[in-house]
Amino acid sequence: MRRRRAPSGHDMTCRQAVALVTDYLDGALTGEQAALFRAHLAECPHCTEHLAQIRVTVAATGQVGIDDLDPLARADLIDLYRRWRAGT
Amino acid sequence: MLVERHHPAMVRLALGYVRSRAVAEEVAQDAWLGLLRGLDGFEGRASLRTWLFQIVVNRAISTGRREHRYLPVDDRELENDDGAFSQDGWWMTPPAHWADLAVDRIAARDVADRIQDLISRLPAGQRQVVTLRDVEGLPSVEVCLILGITEANQRVLLHRARSRIRSLLEREVMT
């Protein structure tokens, strides 16, 4: 029978932890993987920083494209809609 | 208004497949026409947004093929910016710590512009996924439906795109 013990930070390497960041943030890791990942992070300031950087990256990317609709495109669309409503 | 909410995203999505913004605008408008006419078989199973984005992808792919532009996979998709690790898997050079410093800077307009510029130069798959997930904020399941890819595949592409953007931010913050 396998001995059960709490995962330690050294059960996962930094390379493995960094490779799993996206899966972790998506909640796609199995319970066991997530426990290993968290144990690694608890002992590794570098991977903790990397995860923080990825969170900042996602937030920064969310700032992109809050631009309004191009005015010309908008006029085209309204025109399109009017013609459709008029049944032409 | 539905159009204002989704149209810019549809144009960005189409830009992943076609050469010019004008053509991408046409593709997006075409999708709206399809919606107005009810011709494209919307059956209420998917959300309206998913369905609209799927039409955009389908039309953009066929338009892109005519333009000889559509390349589904690119070798550069295999590159990885995760960092440098020793053979046994530990950081060779520990990452510089800048996440705390970056929070104030990322709201700056020029940072968003640089990210947008980088996204436009990413390989197609990465660009589609990161645009839908992180720019538009769509959930994973919906992005997979729109692009017709598996969740695992989607996460690989998202991971690579985020790594590239992370590197860009690092350069922005550290210089």
Side-chain angles (χ1 to χ4, degrees):
Chain A
M1 201 174 103
R2 258 177 72 201
R3 193 161 49 94
R4 285 260 166 180
R5 61 174 178 83
S8 111
H10 284 72
D11 291 339
M12 181 177 277
T13 66
C14 297
R15 186 205 300 274
Q16 290 169 328
V18 164
L20 290 176
V21 162
T22 306
D23 294 50
Y24 174 73
L25 290 175
D26 266 7
L29 295 181
T30 64
E32 193 186 358
Q33 283 176 316
L36 281 170
F37 184 84
R38 283 195 206 93
H40 180 89
L41 247 57
E43 291 179 25
C44 181
H46 302 317
C47 289
T48 302
E49 168 67 18
H50 182 84
L51 176 64
Q53 289 176 5
I54 293 296
R55 287 190 200 274
V56 168
T57 300
V58 174
T61 307
Q63 306 282 321
V64 173
I66 312 172
D67 51 339
D68 294 318
L69 195 56
D70 179 66
L72 209 62
R74 188 186 160 160
D76 279 353
L77 283 168
I78 291 169
D79 186 45
L80 203 66
Y81 181 68
R82 287 216 182 98
R83 272 186 283 144
W84 172 75
R85 284 288 297 265
T88 52
Chain B
M1 186 183 165
L2 194 66
V3 169
E4 275 182 75
R5 213 169 54 214
H6 295 314
H7 189 75
M10 288 160 64
V11 173
R12 271 197 292 278
L13 186 58
L15 268 173
Y17 298 93
V18 299
R19 201 176 286 132
S20 70
R21 191 172 173 97
V23 177
E25 284 280 354
E26 268 171 41
V27 167
Q29 290 199 7
D30 218 33
W32 286 110
L33 260 185
L35 170 71
L36 294 174
R37 290 187 185 133
L39 285 181
D40 279 280
F42 179 58
E43 289 167 15
R45 278 175 307 191
S47 82
L48 182 65
R49 176 177 67 185
T50 306
W51 178 75
L52 266 171
F53 284 13
Q54 274 173 334
I55 297 180
V56 170
V57 169
N58 291 339
R59 295 194 178 183
I61 287 175
S62 50
T63 305
R65 277 209 192 100
R66 281 200 300 277
E67 285 192 315
H68 305 290
R69 157 73 197 272
Y70 177 62
L71 297 165
V73 186
D74 187 307
D75 280 350
R76 286 176 301 157
E77 306 242 1
L78 300 172
E79 275 177 25
N80 202 330
D81 283 348
D82 271 354
F85 300 95
S86 66
Q87 265 188 336
D88 46 3
W90 314 108
W91 289 97
M92 206 119 80
T93 313
H97 287 222
W98 52 261
D100 287 344
L101 304 171
V103 174
D104 294 333
R105 287 216 47 198
I106 57 167
R109 192 65 244 170
D110 61 323
V111 174
D113 288 346
R114 275 167 219 255
I115 294 175
Q116 182 150 36
D117 181 57
L118 173 69
I119 291 175
S120 73
R121 288 181 283 112
L122 288 175
Q126 292 180 34
R127 183 173 53 225
Q128 305 303 329
V129 170
V130 81
T131 299
L132 293 173
R133 286 293 307 276
D134 291 348
V135 178
E136 305 303 333
L138 266 52
S140 166
V141 178
E142 197 173 333
V143 173
C144 291
L145 271 175
I146 291 166
L147 299 177
I149 57 179
T150 66
E151 295 214 16
N153 195 337
Q154 183 219 199
R155 277 194 297 274
V156 170
L157 294 168
L158 182 61
H159 187 86
R160 288 172 187 155
R162 283 177 177 173
S163 296
R164 298 256 190 117
I165 300 170
R166 192 206 66 80
S167 301
L168 170 83
L169 283 180
E170 182 164 279
R171 289 194 298 276
E172 290 283 315
V173 174
M174 304 304 281
T175 52

